[in-house]
């Protein structure tokens, strides 16, 4: 009996293939007949020898004309996630005020949560700070668009990556980066997304039972022509939004919300920036809970001015920061 | 307390003396335009179109600025800046006397925001001579949570300036006078100078000098020690006996720059 199941359209074909046993171990093609295939075999890796050969039993069809750029794109293979570097080092290395992951100084500023940075409006300059203060960050590439510039030698294509980063518990970040290679763009966008992390305020639709689950009030954000409006929803409604803002809201940690959008939402860049702007405004809205007078605490630069005045020891960093002469 | 040339019968308080000095330095003369946020500091518009600044308010804003400067525990966290040549010498002298850091000349963009630069610094306070010419540090301080004090003329934009001191920031005497006053107020509040006493540093030290003028002054200073040495020695010798100093005149007292040619001549 033949080692592998054959579906023969013509008996002559079967005769061709009968005598020779198939080469052992042959990973089954994903479109092969399903019956005797073990389910756990993964689909084969992209064929590095050339374009994918058409399975012989597939009927030959008139070849579809593929644009050269698209053919090249397919030949390169599907996008694979970049390999992460070993930074940040596990544990160790306290975070300084904002711009350097300083080794812990005696009595120096120590931050454990992002909220402490937001309280004093400290600008975040290094993404490793966010990685350490905000564990559980996940990122998602929303879109990679090729953008082109015309030069006298043709077009110069670059890839623009939109990445949303969030911990599903009140922190989101959005990063946009354009670079010559897709992987570089994605890496850069993830870094920018982490640098732009903002807190998201959640509230209740009705009775204050349990944890906040929706937006505290109606907020709207605008970018370009796209306006996104978020309206508080009762528990269990889920995120009622289009695919794009739904992703962003999931990363923000909002469970229920009604949305409404206007403008050219086809432009994903503006759509995603509009929802991000909307989420930023949740903490900008003055509600009666904030009517009480704020008791100010000392800014870290003032509190630790004596320690900051002393010169730092030589820092031990994996990659010493390159300085630009200015 | 010096009386004002016999016109005021009583002695002037220090505030009044300061205001007199500011009048002499033309601090009260604004420009022909007035920004709407500076209207509260303008007293009146003159017949030739120039706005007059209310110097009493200037003096009080100077006091407010001095209090803010004194509140910073580490004076090195203060940066005083001037891109304009008229303010550069004043800024340097101010920094020297109060312990701040001075940036004279071009402000490299990114000094307060680009952590990779060698000149990166995170000051706690920024003092500027003119919001219009020093607009770049203002923009960067807005990004870096740095409060800003600036000398604003009647037409200066007040955006992102936290304490604006209404004054004339166009004239060289005016800028020097203002920085001198501010430095003196800061030192008085710190307790380095006793209030009510004259500060022994002259205002002229803060005025801008043209390069030719600076050279002239240095030449004069070089010529002066020759005479100063002789008279000094003469004064010292006068203690022993006035008749002795003429014979001992050629021997120079130690260390004055202008003395060297004489010393060489004497040794030859």
């Amino acid at each position: 009996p033949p080692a592998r199941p054959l579906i023969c359209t013509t008996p002559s074909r079967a005769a061709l293939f009968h005598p020779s046993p198939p080469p052992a171990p042959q990973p089954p093609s994903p479109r092969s007949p399903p019956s005797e295939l073990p389910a756990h075999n993964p689909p084969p890796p992209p064929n590095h020898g050339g374009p994918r050969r058409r399975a012989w039993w597939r009927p030959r069809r008139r070849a579809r004309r593929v644009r050269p750029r698209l053919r090249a794109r397919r030949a390169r293979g599907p996008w694979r996630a970049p390999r992460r570097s070993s930074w940040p080092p596990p544990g160790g290395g306290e975070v300084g005020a904002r711009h350097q992951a300083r080794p812990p100084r005696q009595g120096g500023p120590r931050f454990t949560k992002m909220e402490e940075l937001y309280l004093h409006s400290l600008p975040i300059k290094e993404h490793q700070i966010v990685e350490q203060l905000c564990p559980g960050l996940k990122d998602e590439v929303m879109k990679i668009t090729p953008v082109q510039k015309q030069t006298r030698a043709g077009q110069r294509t670059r890839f623009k990556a939109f990445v949303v980063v969030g911990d599903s518990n009140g922190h989101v970040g959005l990063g946009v980066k354009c670079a010559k290679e897709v992987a570089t763009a994605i890496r850069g966008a993830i870094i920018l997304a982490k640098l732009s992390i903002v807190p998201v305020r959640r509230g209740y639709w009705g009775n204050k039972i349990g944890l906040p689950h929706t937006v505290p009030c109606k907020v709207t954000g605008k970018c370009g022509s796209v306006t996104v409006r978020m309206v508080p929803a009762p528990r269990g409604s889920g995120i009622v939004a289009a695919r794009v803002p739904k992703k962003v809201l999931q990363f923000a940690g909002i469970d229920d919300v009604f949305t409404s959008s206007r403008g050219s939402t086809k432009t994903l860049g503006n759509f995603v920036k509009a929802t991000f702007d909307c989420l930023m405004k949740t903490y900008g809205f003055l509600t009666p809970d904030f009517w009480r007078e704020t008791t100010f605490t000392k800014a870290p630069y003032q509190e630790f001015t004596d320690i900051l005045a002393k010169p730092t020891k030589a820092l031990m960093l994996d990659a010493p920061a390159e300085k630009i002469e200015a | 307390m010096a009386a004002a040339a016999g016109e005021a019968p009583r002695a002037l308080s220090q505030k009044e003396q300061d205001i007199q000095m500011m009048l002499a330095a033309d601090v009260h003369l604004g420009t022909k335009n007035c920004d709407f946020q500076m209207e509260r500091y303008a007293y009146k518009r003159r017949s030739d179109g120039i706005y007059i600044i209310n110097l009493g308010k200037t003096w009080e804003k100077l006091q407010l600025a001095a209090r803010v400067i004194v509140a910073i525990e580490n004076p090195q966290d203060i940066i005083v800046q001037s891109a304009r040549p008229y303010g550069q010498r004043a800024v340097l002298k101010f920094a020297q006397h109060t312990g701040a850091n001075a940036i004279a000349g071009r402000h490299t963009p990114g000094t307060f925001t680009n952590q990779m630069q060698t000149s990166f610094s995170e000051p706690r306070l920024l003092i500027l001579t003119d919001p219009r010419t020093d607009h770049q540090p203002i923009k960067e301080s807005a990004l870096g949570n740095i409060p800003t004090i600036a000398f604003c003329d009647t037409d200066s934009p007040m955006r992102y300036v936290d304490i604006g001191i209404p004054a004339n920031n166009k004239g060289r005497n005016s800028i020097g006078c203002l920085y001198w006053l501010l430095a003196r107020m800061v030192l008085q509040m710190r307790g380095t100078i006793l209030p009510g006493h004259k500060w022994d540093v002259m205002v002229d030290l803060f005025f801008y000098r043209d390069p030719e003028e600076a050279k002239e002054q240095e030449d004069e200073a070089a010529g002066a020690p020759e005479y100063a040495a002789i008279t000094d020695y003469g004064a010292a010798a006068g203690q022993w006996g006035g008749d002795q100093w003429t014979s001992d005149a050629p021997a120079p007292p130690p260390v004055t720059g202008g003395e060297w040619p004489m010393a060489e001549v004497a040794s030859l």
Side-chain angles (χ1 to χ4, degrees):
Chain A
R4 77 166 186 191
L6 297 171
I7 294 184
C8 312
T9 46
T10 46
S12 53
R13 283 240 175 98
L16 273 175
F17 276 82
H18 252 291
S20 55
Q26 186 162 37
S29 97
R31 304 235 190 93
S32 63
S35 43
E36 271 103 322
L37 277 180
H40 60 268
N41 271 7
N47 191 348
H48 298 285
R52 190 169 64 196
R53 306 293 299 276
R54 183 181 49 84
W56 65 269
W57 42 266
R58 284 224 160 259
R60 223 175 308 181
R61 203 156 298 225
R62 193 177 89 80
R64 292 192 45 208
R65 204 168 64 84
V66 161
R67 286 192 309 277
R69 249 182 292 130
L70 186 54
R71 193 185 321 136
R73 176 78 184 79
R74 283 195 190 155
R76 231 180 309 128
W79 171 75
R80 300 267 162 211
R83 184 181 286 286
R84 301 289 174 105
S85 68
S86 58
W87 176 270
E94 262 302 330
V95 195
R98 56 150 233 196
H99 70 282
Q100 283 205 42
R102 294 192 175 121
R105 298 221 252 188
Q106 291 306 316
R110 271 154 202 271
F111 298 109
T112 42
K113 292 195 300 194
M114 293 291 295
E115 275 63 41
E116 298 167 32
L117 296 183
Y118 296 137
L119 180 61
H120 298 291
S121 306
L122 297 174
I124 303 170
K125 295 284 193 179
E126 292 177 347
H127 67 281
Q128 294 92 338
I129 297 177
V130 172
E131 281 166 22
Q132 197 158 49
L133 291 184
C134 207
L137 270 185
K138 285 194 251 316
D139 52 70
E140 164 107 10
V141 179
M142 303 289 289
K143 193 167 180 126
I144 301 175
T145 31
V147 286
Q148 290 181 333
K149 163 182 145 161
Q150 188 80 330
T151 59
R152 61 163 162 228
Q155 290 112 328
R156 199 227 25 212
T157 316
R158 295 203 299 177
F159 296 96
K160 189 165 173 178
F162 295 91
V163 169
V164 174
V165 127
D167 67 346
S168 307
N169 197 11
H171 301 103
V172 241
L174 172 67
V176 181
K177 180 88 180 133
C178 195
K180 284 192 270 204
E181 292 169 19
V182 175
T184 321
I186 290 170
R187 214 179 302 131
I190 292 179
I191 291 177
L192 285 175
K194 288 183 181 156
L195 289 177
S196 76
I197 277 215
V198 287
V200 169
R201 186 170 182 213
R202 290 157 298 167
Y204 299 94
W205 172 82
N207 288 328
K208 293 191 173 54
I209 308 171
L211 290 175
H213 58 106
T214 183
V215 210
C217 53
K218 293 184 193 172
V219 275
T220 165
K222 185 168 160 75
C223 179
S225 77
V226 181
T227 65
V228 169
R229 182 188 200 211
M230 302 204 305
V231 168
R235 232 180 258 277
S237 324
I239 301 175
V240 180
R243 253 172 301 159
V244 167
K246 187 170 188 154
K247 199 87 244 186
V248 182
L249 293 166
Q250 279 171 346
F251 274 96
I254 294 183
D255 303 319
D256 315 284
V257 69
F258 295 141
T259 53
S260 148
S261 57
R262 186 164 196 255
S264 172
T265 55
K266 221 164 55 162
T267 40
L268 191 127
N270 282 346
F271 202 8
V272 95
K273 279 201 222 171
T275 46
F276 188 63
D277 180 45
C278 197
L279 290 171
M280 276 207 285
K281 285 188 176 175
T282 53
Y283 259 119
F285 205 98
L286 219 206
T287 56
D289 333 339
F290 292 138
W291 282 356
R292 183 174 297 171
E293 284 240 13
T294 22
T295 45
F296 292 103
T297 49
K298 272 194 176 179
Y301 280 110
Q302 197 195 345
E303 207 182 326
F304 299 104
T305 179
D306 309 313
I307 299 165
L308 286 169
K310 295 189 206 136
T312 51
K313 304 190 305 236
L315 298 172
M316 296 169 304
L317 295 172
D318 285 358
E322 330 95 48
K323 295 282 190 181
I324 305 173
E325 267 304 314
Chain B
M1 293 289 190
E7 288 193 66
R10 58 169 176 78
L12 293 175
S13 73
Q14 181 151 75
K15 175 175 177 180
E16 285 166 349
Q17 282 188 331
D18 294 346
I19 294 189
Q20 231 187 14
M21 187 192 296
M22 288 202 273
L23 279 168
D26 292 339
V27 170
H28 61 292
L29 295 177
T31 45
K32 291 209 173 149
N33 302 316
C34 191
D35 199 56
F36 75 103
Q37 280 175 320
M38 292 294 288
E39 272 171 13
R40 54 212 296 238
Y41 302 119
Y43 166 64
K44 205 172 164 180
R45 195 173 197 195
R46 236 172 30 185
S47 48
D48 58 354
I50 304 241
Y51 281 91
I52 309 280
I53 297 172
N54 189 335
L55 282 182
K57 299 196 178 152
T58 304
W59 196 85
E60 280 173 15
K61 285 311 270 283
L62 274 173
Q63 287 277 58
L64 177 64
R67 289 174 68 169
V68 170
I69 295 172
V70 166
I72 309 268
E73 291 95 347
N74 183 10
Q76 285 185 346
D77 284 337
I78 303 172
I79 288 196
V80 210
Q81 221 169 344
S82 172
R84 276 230 213 110
Y86 278 7
Q88 286 176 12
R89 192 178 180 212
V91 144
L92 287 165
K93 293 295 175 200
F94 179 88
Q96 186 188 347
H97 288 287
T98 51
N101 278 332
I103 300 181
R106 181 167 185 262
H107 167 93
T108 315
T111 322
F112 303 146
T113 47
N114 188 358
Q115 72 272 20
M116 305 277 250
Q117 272 187 358
T118 44
S119 56
F120 175 66
S121 63
E122 294 174 281
R124 293 209 39 216
L125 185 63
L126 191 59
I127 305 176
L128 301 171
T129 337
D130 185 4
R132 207 177 277 275
T133 50
D134 299 320
H135 62 280
Q136 184 61 33
I138 289 186
K139 206 192 305 183
E140 292 189 12
S141 67
L143 290 167
N145 304 339
I146 306 169
T148 310
I149 299 176
F151 291 109
C152 302
D153 214 331
T154 42
D155 64 349
S156 297
M158 301 277 278
R159 183 174 289 142
Y160 290 128
V161 173
D162 298 303
I163 297 181
I165 304 172
N168 175 19
N169 54 17
K170 309 278 193 296
R172 62 166 84 178
N173 297 341
S174 158
I175 298 181
C177 173
L178 287 162
Y179 272 109
W180 184 83
L181 281 172
L182 191 57
R184 201 195 62 189
M185 283 184 192
V186 168
L187 292 174
Q188 276 176 353
M189 286 187 193
R190 281 192 196 155
T192 323
I193 311 175
L194 293 170
H197 287 184
K198 254 169 85 89
W199 194 22
D200 52 1
V201 171
M202 284 201 308
V203 198
D204 308 56
L205 192 64
F206 284 64
F207 289 162
Y208 169 73
R209 294 183 302 177
D210 284 328
E212 307 92 43
E213 215 185 292
K215 211 160 165 301
E216 277 173 29
Q217 282 188 7
E218 271 177 33
D219 291 340
E220 280 176 39
E226 297 182 10
Y227 305 105
I230 297 174
T231 47
D232 280 354
Y233 195 76
Q239 298 169 16
W240 308 323
D243 55 333
Q244 287 188 14
W245 73 273
T246 37
S247 53
D248 293 330
V255 263
T256 4
E259 283 294 336
W260 296 340
M262 276 189 62
E264 283 169 34
V265 166
S267 59
L268 280 174

